[in-house]
Amino acid sequence: MCTPLGLLHRLLRVTSYTDVQHGYFDEVHDLSHWGLFLLSYFVAQIKTENADFWLHLMTATWDTPVAEAIKDFLREHLPQYRSKDVYIAPPSDRQDAAQLTMELPDSALPRSFPTESREQQTIMCIHQMRSWAESRNESSVILVLLPGAREMQRLKVLWLESSKRQHHPWELPELVSSETPKAERQRIRQLLQSQRCRPGYSNLLVFATSVFESAITLDVNGVIDSGLALAIDFHGFLRLALCNEAQRIQRKGRAGRVRMCMWK
């Protein structure tokens, strides 16, 4: 099992599809128009050689336009197409992720929010999302997506300093990046998948880089996107850059996978 484009790269090296019985395509909601064309084309090729091929499309949304477009393509180009050959797997609640994601409005934040630093803006968003979770009788589980380890450490320091000024015992945030040991990353991932939003659990705050940006379903009720990413410049060095549209959509996709979630 892999993402559509990853599987397509493998299919390019296959000379015969007669032995291919099942195909599981994950993250189909993230496909571009070019990816949609490639996926549909190769599935049509497989179906031509093997009429019993069964396609399983996995998506974060219940009625994904991309998944429906794939079915329409196969219906048009394959005379032997049967509706039961394609199954679209929705999330367990069968609701569109957009219906489970609510953007934190600027009106809910302090008036000074636009003039504050990115780190202070993030802390303000965390407080507001916690208040929102409390109003829903939930424990807050908030994921903050940052570009790198340096930015995570800087935000952690400001978070702890803010805690001391307000004499409030806020918990230590969990930090996870590509440099975090695999066992520790797995522990934090399990925390974010263990339904800790339910009442009775302590609040959980996680600062993460791109390791938690895609291809993962998390049970959170708050996602904050810093809007920054690490990019390689003309000279081959890493530098901070604004996220592009694809990255922004990918990060926003961490919200609303399991329950109603606030996003900023």
Side-chain angles (χ1 to χ4, degrees), residues 7-245:
L7 186 54
L8 291 175
H9 283 299
R10 298 183 187 182
L11 291 175
L12 285 171
R13 300 192 294 268
V14 177
T15 57
S16 175
Y17 304 112
T18 55
D19 295 330
V20 180
Q21 299 297 325
H22 303 280
Y24 289 83
F25 292 82
D26 195 10
E27 304 287 336
V28 296
H29 53 278
D30 289 332
L31 273 181
S32 63
H33 292 293
W34 176 238
L36 167 61
F37 170 77
L38 286 176
L39 176 57
S40 303
Y41 173 79
F42 277 105
V43 170
Q45 291 294 312
I46 296 173
K47 290 287 292 180
T48 300
E49 295 188 26
N50 186 353
D52 294 327
F53 176 74
W54 186 67
L55 178 63
H56 191 104
L57 302 176
M58 303 177 69
T59 171
T61 60
W62 169 239
D63 187 20
T64 301
V66 171
E68 293 298 331
I70 292 172
K71 295 174 69 174
D72 292 340
F73 180 93
L74 297 177
R75 189 179 297 110
E76 179 181 353
H77 293 84
L78 291 176
Q80 71 274 30
Y81 172 79
R82 300 167 299 181
S83 59
K84 67 179 183 179
D85 291 337
V86 179
Y87 175 71
I88 303 176
S92 58
D93 51 32
R94 299 200 172 197
Q95 284 185 277
D96 192 300
Q99 296 176 333
L100 295 174
T101 304
M102 179 172 63
E103 184 173 1
L104 177 62
D106 290 340
S107 59
L109 296 164
R111 292 184 178 180
S112 61
F113 180 81
T115 61
E116 298 287 351
S117 65
R118 284 183 179 268
E119 291 83 3
Q120 289 296 340
Q121 288 179 342
T122 300
I123 292 175
M124 291 178 178
C125 290
I126 292 172
H127 287 310
Q128 190 59 39
M129 288 182 179
R130 284 194 166 179
S131 298
W132 176 77
E134 290 175 0
S135 69
R136 294 172 52 84
N137 195 30
E138 291 182 342
S139 299
S140 69
V141 179
I142 300 174
L143 174 66
V144 182
L145 294 166
L146 298 159
R150 180 182 301 177
E151 289 73 27
M152 289 195 302
Q153 289 292 344
R154 184 182 302 130
L155 181 58
K156 177 182 177 181
V157 170
L158 289 175
W159 173 258
L160 296 178
E161 288 179 352
S162 180
S163 173
K164 290 179 181 178
R165 287 197 301 270
Q166 298 192 22
H167 304 287
H168 189 75
W170 298 342
E171 76 285 353
L172 286 172
E174 301 277 3
L175 274 59
V176 57
S177 67
S178 58
E179 299 174 357
T180 305
K182 184 177 180 180
E184 179 66 5
R185 289 205 308 269
Q186 184 63 24
R187 181 188 70 82
I188 297 174
R189 180 171 180 164
Q190 289 176 350
L191 282 176
L192 292 173
Q193 294 176 327
S194 58
Q195 297 184 338
R196 291 182 60 92
C197 295
R198 293 178 298 179
Y201 284 96
S202 58
N203 294 328
L204 179 63
L205 178 61
V206 177
F207 298 162
T209 60
S210 58
V211 295
F212 279 179
E213 184 176 301
S214 62
I216 181 173
T217 297
L218 304 173
D219 186 2
V220 297
N221 50 20
V223 175
I224 300 174
D225 178 12
S226 65
L228 296 174
L230 291 178
I232 300 177
D233 63 15
F234 180 77
H235 301 286
F237 295 103
L238 286 175
R239 62 176 179 82
L240 282 178
L242 293 175
C243 290
N244 56 39
E245 184 66 14

